Amino acid sequence: MTGIDVRRVDAALFDLDGVVTDTARVHAAAWQRLFDDFLTARPAAPGEDHRPFSTQDYLREVDGRPREDGARAFLRSRGIRLPEDRPESEGSRATEDGRADEPETLRGLARRKDAHFQAALSQGVHVYPDARRLLTTLRGCGLRTAVVSASRNCAAVLARAGIGGLFDTRVDGVLAARRGLPGKPAPATFLAAAELLGVAPARAVVLEDAETGVIAGRRGEFALVVGVDRTGDGSRLREAGAHVVVTDLDGLAVTGCPAADRAASGPEDRQGGPTEPQPPGGLGSRERPGRSGVDGSTATAAGAGPGRARLGSATGRRRP
């Protein structure tokens, strides 16, 4: 399957940053500011690489990972080791300008990065029009939708962008921490989203712009893993195992729904890909549990109503 055939799948799982919203750029800028300041101020030491943080550093070490995991991976790539956090007994000291003196620890760096991101987020969130169109099309054809993000700011981004109603459920960094789910490239967060929607992975599509997310989709044995390449270099997503790579979501064919059939307008696709290890047990069950929200409560399909029901009826699909 090189496009989304809505007769063969029941759900679509969207990464947030870089797929639905332009916040990947904001995250990258926040990481660059953090690490450039950190590396400039850090004294030279044998075995440590203090070159400025680059786009390739972001894509290879940070993109798609939980905040602490990304910081850890980048520092390791530069030969730098930091303690996880300051001991509770030490507390933060105040500097002369009254700001907290954040220690040089892994979690301290992660907190600084989040502060940079929050400052940028206050200026607004841009939603990709092609993502909004695809979400509207798929939901009109009766598919369930989820947003799956490593970010603990996912809910805030959705609220500021005004698109929470386009998703039936959310699996983000907050839920992952509460459940103890490992981050991408492990498939656990995608599998959790499928479970919450009551859909088997073999009946769901994953849409990702990060290599780690593509690998997670393949390891979770999802029906289709779409690589969304907004940077102009789709090779990294193909090499990670994406079944299809598109430069924007208007380039993804949607078939099997008379009200929304469309041909792909984008350039390239590819079947197959490297064989990935079998996913771990538990969330990967092929059973179809009842749908529930991220807090375990029963979830109501966002945007459901009389108009939505008519669309589902017209296409011959039923939403459970």
Side-chain angles (χ1 to χ4, degrees):
M1 180 167 53
T2 57
I4 300 178
D5 184 342
V6 300
R7 296 163 298 190
R8 297 175 60 184
V9 295
D10 302 312
L13 315 180
F14 287 74
D15 176 54
L16 179 65
D17 304 312
V19 175
V20 178
T21 61
D22 191 22
T23 40
R25 174 185 54 82
V26 182
H27 280 291
W31 281 113
Q32 181 171 25
R33 178 181 174 187
L34 169 78
F35 283 127
D36 283 353
D37 288 350
F38 169 78
L39 293 169
T40 299
R42 187 171 176 83
E48 293 189 2
D49 181 353
H50 293 186
R51 285 176 298 123
F53 185 79
S54 70
T55 299
Q56 287 305 309
D57 288 322
Y58 175 75
L59 295 174
R60 184 175 56 248
E61 309 296 348
V62 174
D63 191 19
R65 288 189 167 99
R67 198 180 305 150
E68 286 84 359
D69 289 353
R72 188 180 295 107
F74 171 73
L75 293 175
R76 185 184 300 119
S77 76
R78 296 300 188 89
I80 299 172
R81 299 290 186 271
L82 292 181
E84 289 289 312
D85 209 352
R86 178 189 288 250
E88 291 288 335
S89 60
E90 292 190 22
S92 293
R93 296 185 296 272
T95 59
E96 290 182 1
D97 61 6
R99 294 180 302 174
D101 178 20
E102 191 69 82
E104 283 195 351
T105 66
L106 188 105
R107 291 179 182 169
L109 289 178
R111 287 190 285 268
R112 287 188 216 170
K113 182 269 174 182
D114 188 51
H116 296 328
F117 179 77
Q118 292 290 346
L121 187 63
S122 66
Q123 300 173 22
V125 174
H126 172 69
V127 180
Y128 289 115
D130 57 315
R132 190 188 295 271
R133 285 190 291 270
L134 179 60
L135 279 159
T136 301
T137 296
L138 295 179
R139 290 175 67 80
C141 290
L143 266 67
R144 283 155 278 178
T145 56
V147 60
V148 182
S149 173
S151 176
R152 294 172 189 167
N153 293 303
C154 181
V157 171
L158 293 177
R160 183 164 288 276
I163 56 172
L166 292 175
F167 298 100
D168 296 303
T169 198
R170 180 183 80 248
V171 175
D172 58 12
V174 176
L175 179 66
R178 189 162 70 234
R179 289 193 175 188
L181 302 176
K184 306 166 188 176
T189 51
F190 282 126
L191 293 171
E195 181 186 56
L196 287 169
L197 293 175
V199 173
R203 297 283 301 180
V205 177
V206 165
L207 299 100
E208 260 285 357
D209 74 318
E211 295 161 74
T212 53
V214 168
I215 294 170
R218 289 303 301 264
R219 288 179 176 173
E221 297 185 314
F222 286 87
L224 178 69
V225 179
V226 178
V228 183
D229 167 36
R230 299 191 188 275
T231 67
D233 180 17
S235 60
R236 62 188 181 88
L237 300 178
R238 288 193 298 273
E239 291 169 4
H243 297 105
V244 183
V245 176
V246 294
T247 56
D248 62 67
L249 293 175
D250 286 335
L252 185 65
V254 177
T255 58
C257 173
D261 281 357
R262 72 184 195 191
S265 61
E268 55 184 313
D269 61 43
R270 158 183 182 274
Q271 295 191 39
T275 301
E276 297 290 351
Q278 296 294 316
L283 288 174
S285 170
R286 295 303 192 259
E287 298 297 322
R288 294 174 60 88
R291 285 180 62 215
S292 60
V294 293
D295 59 356
S297 60
T298 301
T300 301
R308 181 81 185 263
R310 284 195 295 272
L311 277 171
S313 174
T315 61
R317 293 178 60 87
R318 293 181 299 161
R319 294 179 63 87

